[in-house]
Amino acid sequence: MILEIINKKRIGKELSYKEIDYFFNGYLNGVITDYQMSSLLMAICINGMTDEEIFALTKVFIDSGDVLDFSDIPGIKVDKHSTGGIGDKTTLVIAPIVASLGVPVIKMSGRGLGYTGGTIDKLESIKGFKVDLSDEEILDQVRKINLVVTGQTADLVPLDKVIYALRDVTGTVSSIPLIASSVMSKKIASGADKILIDIKVGNGALLQKREEAKKLSEIMIKIGEVYHKEVRTIISDMNAPLGRCIGNSLEVLEAIDVLKGREKDNNFVDLCYKLATEMVSMGKEITKKEAYYLVLESINSGEAYKKFLEMVGMQGGDIAKIKVSEKTYKIKSSSNGIITKINALEMGKISLALGAGKLNKDDKLDYSVGIVLNKLIGDTVKKGEVLATFYTNKKIPEIKIENIYKIN
Ligand code: URA
């Protein structure tokens, strides 16, 4: 049976629900080995899956753990997921905006993967911030302040945890069927009524081509239809880092600046407004234009920042204690011109080398390190001006400026 299933997918045939259930649950239960599962994952990567197979895999994932029910909480609960990027701290900004406008936000976030940071790691850089809330604590906090951002409980799609860990080390992460079932199963099991997915495309993302992102978007929307949940998607650029900061504490500080209305007009702020507008439009069932004005108002009035502080306070954090490394290293421009490119992947690699992410599962994160982009794409720069500042507690890795920046 095991070899038959692998061979069937190897030659591009469709697997039945029963076969998918048998194989994936067999892996969770220890009947299927790592090498057999890796082989099937690679066959899926190469030959893809039909819509029916993707629906089946999503169901097997969802059924492997708990499905949360927040129907007792009044209002439409809208969840958001990003497929991951460099400097992506949008949740820290948009969750408080949306919650401050009366749409309940129960957000279960993950940790960093590869070069991309995770919201939970960023929040943990706020000393004392609790990210492992119990179901009761989550419900209590949402009832009180309309907002909670916490880690995924162990019982939520356990199959995704083991499969993702294997994909991460077998070159099988960038597969549309596997990404779709992994993301959508978690969002459906998290009890959201409606779901917004931010699909990243570019050299700092899982997907490199827009056509692939469109395919992923289509299948995610179809999965939503199967579960009677509205799914909207945004395809956003991940060729340049998002915003000014990369690294856990630095990103929290940047999110605070955006919530205070101090940062305007960059790719990160634009994306936050876009995503928050979609979520508010979905949660309040209003037009995007109406939602956009509400989003602006929540920043301008200070309500969004107030909501962020309420969340940090209730989850035990103290923003006065966010630490950034005192040791810095600056890179400077060797020419005059306009910045036309900042390579997200290269910046992600450096940030990982500084300790802002994990190279190995057991590495410890250094929350205080990272990168601040002093100049962004479109900025004019003079020879000798600082392009970026690296906050570090280690020896700086070799940095080839010409691999990161294009200055014309
Ligand atoms: N994020 C996920 O949760 N799963 C994937 O497969 C890719 C990105």
Side-chain angles (χ1 to χ4, degrees):
M1 180 90 162
I2 296 173
L3 275 183
E4 256 170 53
I5 294 174
I6 296 174
N7 279 324
K8 214 170 156 185
K9 190 66 337 205
R10 182 178 57 77
I11 56 170
K13 285 207 174 147
E14 185 177 51
L15 300 178
S16 67
Y17 173 83
K18 235 174 112 189
E19 288 166 328
I20 292 173
D21 184 37
Y22 168 80
F23 209 100
F24 281 80
N25 273 314
Y27 182 63
L28 189 61
N29 301 329
V31 177
I32 308 277
T33 61
D34 278 350
Y35 55 80
Q36 289 163 334
M37 190 73 236
S38 307
S39 176
L40 183 67
L41 290 172
M42 188 52 86
I44 291 173
C45 261
I46 293 167
N47 289 323
M49 278 182 141
T50 63
D51 288 1
E52 288 309 318
E53 285 178 300
I54 299 173
F55 299 152
L57 184 56
T58 307
K59 179 166 161 42
V60 168
F61 269 43
I62 295 171
D63 293 347
S64 72
D66 292 346
V67 174
L68 305 178
D69 180 0
F70 294 116
S71 53
D72 278 359
I73 307 284
I76 297 172
K77 275 73 66 189
V78 187
D79 203 350
K80 167 254 164 194
H81 188 91
S82 155
T83 56
I86 316 288
D88 186 356
K89 59 242 133 199
T90 45
T91 294
L92 303 181
V93 175
I94 64 178
I97 294 177
V98 176
S100 78
L101 293 167
V103 178
V105 178
I106 305 158
K107 176 93 184 77
M108 294 193 186
S109 293
R111 295 193 181 275
L113 268 173
Y115 302 122
T116 66
T119 302
I120 289 305
D121 296 331
K122 294 169 205 203
L123 284 170
E124 273 188 339
S125 72
I126 306 173
K127 200 158 190 252
F129 194 99
K130 242 182 109 183
V131 294
D132 52 355
L133 302 186
S134 66
D135 292 354
E136 291 71 39
E137 286 170 319
I138 293 172
L139 282 171
D140 180 54
Q141 187 167 320
V142 175
R143 286 202 176 96
K144 284 188 178 133
I145 66 163
N146 225 22
L147 170 63
V148 59
V149 182
T150 181
Q152 275 151 19
T153 59
D155 301 331
L156 201 90
V157 198
L159 189 47
D160 180 63
K161 290 191 179 74
V162 291
I163 295 292
Y164 203 102
L166 192 62
R167 285 168 60 204
D168 207 19
V169 291
T170 54
T172 53
V173 172
S174 301
S175 147
I176 290 171
L178 296 177
I179 298 174
S181 44
S182 160
V183 170
M184 292 307 291
S185 60
K186 282 178 288 195
K187 294 293 106 177
I188 289 159
S190 306
D193 300 310
K194 299 187 179 186
I195 299 159
L196 175 65
I197 311 282
D198 177 15
I199 302 174
K200 305 263 182 233
V201 193
N203 76 358
L206 295 181
L207 302 180
Q208 315 291 311
K209 295 195 189 116
R210 245 191 133 68
E211 302 80 69
E212 294 174 325
K214 280 194 191 146
K215 273 199 197 144
L216 181 60
S217 163
E218 277 162 23
I219 188 66
M220 284 174 151
I221 291 169
K222 284 189 196 164
I223 296 172
E225 280 163 8
V226 172
Y227 291 87
H228 308 290
K229 292 186 193 286
E230 184 189 348
V231 175
R232 290 192 200 171
T233 61
I234 281 182
I235 297 176
S236 65
D237 180 76
M238 188 26 73
N239 285 300
L242 268 182
R244 288 190 181 278
C245 299
I246 306 163
N248 298 290
S249 297
L250 288 166
E251 290 190 41
V252 174
L253 294 173
E254 184 180 17
I256 290 173
D257 274 348
V258 176
L259 284 165
K260 285 181 165 174
R262 286 186 187 157
E263 272 285 355
K264 294 200 164 76
D265 285 341
N266 67 42
N267 61 354
F268 172 55
V269 180
D270 293 348
L271 183 64
C272 286
Y273 281 22
K274 207 165 166 184
L275 292 170
T277 297
E278 289 287 354
M279 285 178 82
V280 172
S281 150
M282 292 166 95
K284 286 184 157 318
E285 300 190 311
I286 57 176
T287 64
K288 284 193 216 173
K289 194 169 169 193
E290 289 167 320
Y292 179 67
Y293 285 116
L294 291 177
V295 167
L296 287 187
E297 180 54 24
S298 91
I299 294 280
N300 293 338
S301 64
E303 287 302 315
Y305 182 53
K306 219 164 94 188
K307 189 55 72 183
F308 174 81
L309 291 179
E310 272 178 46
M311 174 184 76
V312 173
M314 271 203 87
Q315 290 183 232
D318 180 354
I319 60 163
K321 292 197 178 139
I322 298 175
K323 271 204 354 221
V324 172
S325 169
E326 281 165 17
K327 269 194 260 157
T328 61
Y329 172 83
K330 294 180 194 300
I331 53 170
K332 296 181 180 167
S333 176
S334 56
S335 59
N336 296 328
I338 295 175
I339 299 181
T340 56
K341 188 173 164 190
I342 305 175
N343 188 315
L345 180 61
E346 290 304 318
M347 283 301 196
K349 286 182 188 169
I350 297 171
S351 140
L352 190 69
L354 295 174
K358 288 183 185 181
L359 269 172
N360 297 304
K361 224 169 66 200
D362 300 329
D363 288 351
K364 239 175 110 57
L365 287 180
D366 185 344
Y367 297 115
S368 72
V369 301
I371 306 166
V372 171
L373 305 179
N374 300 88
K375 296 279 180 187
L376 298 178
I377 290 180
D379 285 351
T380 304
V381 66
K382 289 203 184 88
K383 190 175 169 183
E385 263 191 300
V386 176
L387 293 170
T389 307
F390 298 85
Y391 290 77
T392 179
N393 286 315
K394 309 185 178 171
K395 203 169 152 268
I396 286 278
E398 192 192 355
I399 296 169
K400 288 205 170 110
I401 300 181
E402 65 281 9
N403 287 350
I404 306 174
Y405 288 90
K406 221 180 211 168
I407 300 173
N408 293 327

